[in-house]
């Protein structure tokens, strides 16, 4: 892997991942697991969240992969900031899948403003990125769970990818969002997404 100005990019070619896809960000290093993620500029940490579901989160802010401000131009301070992009995942053998994750704005960091946002996108069969969810900035609250049912043939491919992005103030360590416990698996019943069903700290 190598550093670019904005993201940590994994150069190696990988076969599509099989289900389940799970990352709880509980590892001791500051960049995401490159077996699961193909590029990233988020910060893996245990310091910024408040009462996360599991120890360790991925934090989105206004800093790049090297911990530097995306831009010091204060005349245009807000724009596209961090990205967390998955490796390819094989969903071609299931009729329906689900994606769930937990998120929290601010935590012990800086609260994202209403012009800031956290965005989830899926890559469709034509390699277009389609917005599935967008959350405007807010003050801190307990982690909330979001669940998405994936049933369209546009996404049930052998090279499905998803990504999170944020819009933030680009001049420093601002506008924090924290994501924990991302999981994709085959959807059989609503019970699949009701509880964490994992031993965790």
């Amino acid at each position: 892997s190598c550093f670019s100005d904005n993201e940590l990019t994994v150069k190696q070619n990988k076969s599509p991942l099989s289900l389940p896809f799970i990352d709880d960000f509980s590892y001791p290093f500051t960049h995401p697991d490159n077996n699961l993620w193909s590029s990233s500029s988020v910060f893996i940490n245990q310091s910024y969240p408040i009462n996360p579901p599991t120890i360790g989160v991925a934090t989105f802010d206004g800093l790049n992969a090297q911990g530097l401000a995306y831009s010091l131009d204060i005349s245009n301070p807000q724009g596209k900031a961090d990205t967390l992009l998955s490796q390819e995942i094989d969903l071609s053998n299931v009729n329906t899948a689900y994606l769930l994750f937990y998120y929290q704005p601010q935590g012990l960091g800086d609260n994202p403003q209403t012009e800031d946002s956290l965005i989830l996108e899926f890559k469709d069969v034509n390699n277009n990125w389609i917005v599935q969810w967008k959350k405007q900035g807010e003050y801190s609250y307990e982690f909330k769970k979001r669940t998405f049912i994936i049933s369209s043939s546009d996404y049930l491919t052998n090279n499905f990818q998803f990504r999170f992005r944020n819009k933030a103030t680009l001049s420093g360590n601002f506008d924090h969002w924290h994501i924990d416990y991302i999981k994709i698996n085959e959807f059989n019943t609503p019970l699949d997404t009701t509880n964490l069903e994992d031993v965790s700290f």
Side-chain angles (χ1 to χ4, degrees), residues 13-14 36 38-40 49 56 58-59 62 72 80 110 118 130 136 138 151-152 159 190-191 193 196:
N13 293 321
K14 293 180 177 291
L36 300 175
S38 66
S39 66
S40 168
T59 294
L72 295 178
K80 296 178 181 179
D110 178 59
L118 182 66
I130 310 300
Q136 286 186 324
E138 298 178 271
S151 58
S152 170
N159 62 347
L191 292 176
T193 60
L196 252 180

Side-chain angles (χ1 to χ4, degrees), residues 7 13 32 43 76-77 88 120 123 131 142-144 148 156 163 175 195:
E7 294 185 355
N13 293 321
F43 174 47
N76 187 23
E88 293 183 347
L120 170 65
K123 186 182 76 173
V131 174
E142 290 295 315
F143 273 83
K144 293 183 179 180
F148 297 84
L156 295 174
R163 68 184 182 188
D175 305 327
N195 299 310

Side-chain angles (χ1 to χ4, degrees), residues 140-182:
S140 185
Y141 45 71
E142 290 295 315
F143 273 83
K144 293 183 179 180
K145 181 175 71 173
R146 288 305 309 258
T147 302
F148 297 84
I149 303 301
I150 307 171
S151 58
S152 170
S153 58
D154 286 344
Y155 305 124
L156 295 174
T157 64
N158 63 1
N159 62 347
F160 171 76
Q161 286 181 285
F162 69 98
R163 68 184 182 188
F164 289 95
R165 299 190 294 112
N166 74 314
K167 293 183 178 180
T169 300
L170 302 178
S171 57
N173 192 21
F174 302 115
D175 305 327
H176 296 95
W177 297 91
H178 316 292
I179 292 181
D180 194 17
Y181 206 89
I182 300 172

Side-chain angles (χ1 to χ4, degrees), residues 29 32 116 169 183:
F29 32 92
D116 306 315
T169 300
K183 181 177 182 180

Side-chain angles (χ1 to χ4, degrees), residues 2-122:
C2 69
F3 284 109
S4 67
D5 288 341
N6 295 332
E7 294 185 355
L8 177 69
T9 301
V10 179
K11 285 189 171 180
Q12 65 217 65
N13 293 321
K14 293 180 177 291
S15 300
L17 301 175
S18 57
L19 296 177
F21 176 104
I22 301 174
D23 198 350
D24 65 0
F25 307 107
S26 62
Y27 29 82
F29 32 92
T30 58
H31 294 287
D33 183 353
N34 62 17
N35 291 306
L36 300 175
W37 306 101
S38 66
S39 66
S40 168
S41 48
V42 301
F43 174 47
I44 306 303
N45 70 96
Q46 302 172 11
S47 304
Y48 277 112
I50 298 173
N51 297 325
T54 66
I55 191 169
V57 297
T59 294
F60 294 70
D61 52 31
L63 302 175
N64 65 21
Q66 299 180 29
L68 303 174
Y70 279 98
S71 173
L72 295 178
D73 181 4
I74 62 173
S75 65
N76 187 23
Q78 199 268 354
K80 296 178 181 179
D82 287 337
T83 299
L84 180 62
L85 170 64
S86 74
Q87 296 281 2
E88 293 183 347
I89 306 166
D90 187 357
L91 299 184
S92 63
N93 295 318
V94 300
N95 292 321
T96 308
Y98 67 87
L99 181 151
L100 69 80
F101 65 92
Y102 294 79
Y103 75 96
Q104 178 184 68
Q106 185 178 356
L108 294 175
D110 178 59
N111 71 287
Q113 309 298 309
T114 55
E115 64 269 23
D116 306 315
S117 56
L118 182 66
I119 302 163
L120 170 65
E121 298 173 315
F122 292 171

